[in-house]
Amino acid sequence: MEIIYLDETHLSDFQTLYTRFFMELREKQGWKPGEEEIYRKEAEVYFKRSDLIFLALEGSKAAGVIRLSSREGCFWVEEIYVRPEFRGKGIGRALVERAEEEVKKHDDSLYLLVLPQDKDAIAFWKKLGYGTINTIELTKNLKPSGRSAVHTVELLGERFRIFEWKGGKFNGEERHFMELLEEFYEKGGTKEEFLKLVSSALEGWLE
């Protein structure tokens, strides 16, 4: 396997991998994917604006890609994708490590966003030493979207809704907890009451 910095010669490979990334993502989200040509044009724009893009090559085959952008003085992982037939061979890790080498020339941190439903991605990044920090995404539906949040989670008692993830991997205990949370908030439970309940349970366990 070889990791290369993207050049004009492999632009088409990047466009293909970028398109496959979003096709797979939209399927998991239950959303209709955009047209392939739109994704290919987006990929070309990112290449021309000099984003950091690395390809993993297995022989002459483009097996994976990682793209980083720089905004507000920070480097962000925007996409990482490995073709299904090449997964489980350490290609994702190799792409991340190559990206980290490049970022270290300019900064001491690398950031990314992961959907809370994507447990595989979260496990992957944690295995590489990444930890959760303080980003919270807010939204307001200005018109019916055809989708509704189906899971309830919380952060310090604040209620959050997350969309269903096709092939989601929440275990039984996690699902049971989210169901209890949903019922708690539906019946008028408050942040303050939730924190008191949890604090009391933790105190009892620690005694």
Side-chain angles (χ1 to χ4, degrees):
M1 180 185 63
E2 180 185 9
I3 306 292
I4 66 167
Y5 192 89
L6 183 67
D7 56 23
E8 189 79 39
T9 305
H10 291 91
L11 175 57
S12 180
D13 290 323
F14 169 54
Q15 290 174 302
T16 298
L17 292 171
Y18 181 86
T19 299
R20 291 192 177 191
F21 168 84
F22 277 102
M23 292 292 186
E24 188 173 310
L25 176 63
R26 297 298 180 243
E27 182 182 2
K28 289 179 181 178
Q29 293 173 320
W31 295 354
K32 182 180 178 181
E35 295 180 5
E36 182 175 341
E37 187 56 31
I38 293 175
Y39 294 128
R40 295 187 71 86
K41 287 180 179 178
E42 286 180 357
E44 184 175 7
V45 168
Y46 297 140
F47 169 70
K48 289 182 176 179
R49 78 176 189 188
S50 300
D51 281 7
L52 293 176
I53 305 170
F54 297 96
L55 286 182
L57 302 179
E58 282 281 7
S60 60
K61 183 94 168 182
V65 65
I66 188 169
R67 178 176 73 89
L68 280 64
S69 69
S70 176
R71 43 193 166 93
E72 298 180 354
C74 300
F75 286 90
W76 290 81
V77 176
E78 300 293 353
E79 301 92 26
I80 180 170
Y81 179 76
V82 176
R83 290 178 185 267
E85 63 267 31
F86 291 107
R87 292 173 188 172
K89 298 181 178 182
I91 293 175
R93 174 184 286 273
L95 284 165
V96 173
E97 290 174 349
R98 178 64 185 87
E100 289 175 346
E101 288 176 10
E102 190 65 28
V103 170
K104 280 190 287 189
K105 298 175 183 177
H106 312 280
D107 202 352
D108 56 5
S109 298
L110 180 56
Y111 297 84
L112 63 134
L113 297 175
V114 181
L115 293 172
Q117 306 93 314
D118 197 345
K119 296 188 70 178
D120 286 342
I122 293 171
F124 169 79
W125 288 107
K126 285 190 172 182
K127 189 180 296 184
L128 294 179
Y130 288 74
T132 305
I133 56 171
N134 58 356
T135 298
I136 296 174
E137 182 178 27
L138 302 179
T139 185
K140 177 181 180 181
N141 291 329
L142 303 180
K143 60 181 181 179
S145 64
R147 292 198 60 185
S148 59
V150 296
H151 297 306
T152 295
V153 294
E154 61 78 36
L155 176 64
L156 291 177
E158 292 288 352
R159 183 184 188 184
F160 294 93
R161 310 299 303 278
I162 60 176
F163 290 123
E164 184 175 2
W165 186 263
K166 186 176 179 180
K169 296 183 178 179
F170 292 114
N171 63 36
E173 195 63 34
E174 290 167 334
R175 289 185 177 278
H176 181 55
F177 177 69
M178 291 188 291
E179 289 167 1
L180 290 174
L181 274 177
E182 178 73 16
E183 187 174 357
F184 172 79
Y185 288 117
E186 289 293 338
K187 290 185 176 180
T190 66
K191 169 181 177 178
E192 290 73 20
E193 289 171 323
F194 178 85
L195 291 175
K196 286 179 181 178
L197 287 169
V198 173
S199 295
S200 177
L202 288 173
E203 287 169 356
W205 187 90
L206 290 169
E207 289 178 355

